[in-house]
């Protein structure tokens, strides 16, 4: 019988094997500080949390500035504000490029691959820009997500020791990082569960899978609609598939968001507060620009859902993904 879980876990990783040093998830501030301290460091290894937190810190300001410059404002090119925003865009992009490439190389080292694989990962994107073929850009994006999301090698390799092991962090809470497969499976199983707690890894792996799938479907739908190579029926079919994915994933997304707030000691009703600016902007579209509501809501969601777990049991449940609760030897002790 075909076992899809076994096959999928080979690509995305599974729970930590027995006898292997437990890894902990690096915090957002730790990841940013580490990547800045290792600005020109292309040696050693970087965990998934280090890479993806830096990706968020580097990519989000870049995207927001690009959005403000090109879409949110109707600013003439010759104005001082346009020059200021465009300069800020180039500064953010330029200042973060070297540490981003460095942590990408270290992330490949962590999976046992040479840093030169990065050229292979960026080749489709370069060709997409040069040949004006957006499909190559999607291929490059998929390759980067796959290779940079692979689990760490469970032992020291030619590039260094296992990063972020709990044993090397005396103040670590004993949590392990949930894998991509575990996160998606857990969120689907708990699609109607608004009780309990969810770690950052559980929420953000799910957000990556859900939001990226929606974005790809939406991008393909818009591309087919504007391209003369495809009929409008093709665009409509892809759009309906996008809506189907959105509807299927909406309830698990809300549930894991509430559990993530519980993990930080907050009530799930805080999720409504995060979306208040978005709803107000929709109601006041004739008065204010609705893009500001989207931006404020996005910042609030990122802030509250990236807060660290409370290190002890709270009124919503025990600490999620504790090694003590998953290690059979510790249970017998």
């Amino acid at each position: 019988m075909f076992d899809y879980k076994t096959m999928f876990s080979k690509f995305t990783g599974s729970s930590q094997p027995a006898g292997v040093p437990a890894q902990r998830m690096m915090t957002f501030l730790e990841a940013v500080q580490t990547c800045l301290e290792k600005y020109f460091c292309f040696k050693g290894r970087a965990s998934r949390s280090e890479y993806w937190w830096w990706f968020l810190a580097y990519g989000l300001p870049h995207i927001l500035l690009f959005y403000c410059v090109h879409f949110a404002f109707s600013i003439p090119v010759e104005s001082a504000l346009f020059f200021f925003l465009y300069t800020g865009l180039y500064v953010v992009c330029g200042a973060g490029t070297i540490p981003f490439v460095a942590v990408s190389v270290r992330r490949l080292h962590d999976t046992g691959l040479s840093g030169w694989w990065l050229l292979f990962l960026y080749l489709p994107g370069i060709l997409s820009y040069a040949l004006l073929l957006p499909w190559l850009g999607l291929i490059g994006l998929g390759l980067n997500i796959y290779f940079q999301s692979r689990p760490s090698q469970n032992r020291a390799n030619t590039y260094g020791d296992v990063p972020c092991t709990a044993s090397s962090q005396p103040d670590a809470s004993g949590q392990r990082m949930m894998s991509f497969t575990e996160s998606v499976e857990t969120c689907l199983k708990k699609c109607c569960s608004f009780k309990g707690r969810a770690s950052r890894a559980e929420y953000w792996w799910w957000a990556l899978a859900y939001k990226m799938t929606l974005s790809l479907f939406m991008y393909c739908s818009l591309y087919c609609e504007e391209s003369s190579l495809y009929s409008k029926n093709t665009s409509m079919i892809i759009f309906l598939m996008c809506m189907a994915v959105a509807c299927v994933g909406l309830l698990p997304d809300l549930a894991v968001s509430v559990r993530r707030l519980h993990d930080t000691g907050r009530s799930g009703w805080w999720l409504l507060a995060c979306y208040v600016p978005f709803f107000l902007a929709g109601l006041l579209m004739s008065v204010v620009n609705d893009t500001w509501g989207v931006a404020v809501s996005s910042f609030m969601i990122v802030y509250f859902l990236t807060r660290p777990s409370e290190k002890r049991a709270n009124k919503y449940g025990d600490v999620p993904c504790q090694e003590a609760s998953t290690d059979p030897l510790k249970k017998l002790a």
Side-chain angles (χ1 to χ4, degrees):
M1 184 176 177
F2 178 74
D3 189 353
Y4 76 94
K5 294 181 180 179
T6 302
M7 183 196 72
F8 199 52
S9 65
K10 291 180 181 179
F11 294 94
T12 56
S14 57
S15 58
Q16 199 78 4
V20 175
Q23 278 187 287
R24 69 176 185 88
M25 183 176 177
M26 186 176 283
T27 66
F28 177 81
L29 292 178
E30 283 179 316
V32 173
Q33 183 178 357
T34 300
C35 290
L36 290 177
E37 289 177 349
K38 297 182 177 180
Y39 201 95
F40 295 101
C41 181
F42 295 87
K43 296 180 180 180
R45 299 167 60 173
S47 64
R48 285 184 285 195
S49 55
E50 180 181 343
Y51 173 84
W52 287 107
W53 280 132
W54 176 258
F55 182 88
L56 178 67
Y58 170 61
L60 188 61
H62 189 185
I63 293 171
L64 288 175
L65 280 172
F66 182 84
Y67 182 80
C68 290
V69 169
H70 290 279
F71 301 105
F73 304 114
S74 299
I75 306 173
V77 177
E78 63 275 6
S79 67
L81 182 57
F82 184 89
F83 174 79
F84 174 78
L85 290 173
Y86 225 89
T87 301
L89 177 62
Y90 276 100
V91 168
V92 171
C93 182
T97 297
I98 293 177
F100 180 70
V101 173
V103 74
S104 300
V105 170
R106 298 197 303 271
R107 179 81 268 274
L108 290 172
H109 289 173
D110 190 41
T111 64
L113 297 175
S114 168
W116 292 106
W117 273 80
L118 200 63
L119 297 177
F120 168 72
L121 299 183
Y122 282 116
L123 182 61
I126 296 171
L127 292 177
S128 171
Y129 182 79
L131 303 176
L132 300 178
L133 295 175
W135 291 106
L136 285 175
L138 289 177
I139 293 174
L141 178 62
L143 287 173
N144 271 280
I145 291 174
Y146 167 70
F147 279 97
Q148 303 292 13
S149 300
R150 296 178 68 208
S152 305
Q153 287 193 329
N154 295 323
R155 58 185 63 85
N157 60 20
T158 56
Y159 303 103
D161 294 326
V162 180
C164 281
T165 53
S167 58
S168 64
Q169 302 291 338
D171 60 340
S173 61
Q175 279 185 288
R176 66 176 180 85
M177 182 176 177
M178 183 178 284
S179 71
F180 178 84
T181 310
E182 288 178 306
S183 170
V184 174
E185 186 176 353
T186 301
C187 291
L188 291 176
K189 285 182 177 179
K190 295 183 177 180
C191 64
C192 299
S193 176
F194 293 84
K195 296 181 179 180
R197 298 167 62 173
S199 64
R200 284 184 287 196
E202 179 181 343
Y203 174 81
W204 287 105
W205 279 131
W206 166 259
L208 177 67
Y210 179 51
K211 302 300 193 312
M212 191 60 67
T213 303
L214 284 179
S215 299
L216 288 176
F217 273 115
M218 186 63 70
Y219 179 84
C220 291
S221 175
L222 294 174
Y223 177 80
C224 292
E225 184 178 356
E226 295 178 0
S227 175
S228 58
L229 300 176
Y230 303 93
S231 64
K232 291 185 177 181
N233 290 335
T234 304
S235 175
M236 180 57 66
I237 291 173
I238 297 177
F239 179 75
L240 292 176
M241 293 172 64
C242 177
M243 291 297 100
V245 172
C247 293
V248 170
L250 179 61
L251 194 57
D253 189 62
L254 290 175
V256 73
S257 299
V258 169
R259 297 198 303 272
R260 178 80 267 275
L261 288 170
H262 289 173
D263 190 41
T264 66
R266 295 176 175 84
S267 169
W269 293 106
W270 274 84
L271 196 62
L272 293 178
C274 294
Y275 285 103
V276 164
F278 175 76
F279 291 126
L280 286 178
L283 294 173
L284 303 174
M285 286 182 62
S286 59
V287 181
V288 296
N289 193 334
D290 63 328
T291 55
W292 290 105
V294 174
V296 173
S297 288
S298 299
F299 274 120
M300 292 181 67
I301 290 170
V302 170
Y303 172 78
F304 284 110
L305 297 183
T306 53
R307 304 302 299 162
S309 304
E310 288 195 327
K311 295 182 179 181
R312 57 184 64 86
N314 60 21
K315 61 182 180 180
Y316 302 106
D318 294 327
V319 180
C321 290
Q322 271 191 310
E323 283 297 313
S325 63
T326 57
D327 191 343
L329 297 177
K330 291 181 180 179
K331 287 183 178 180
L332 294 175

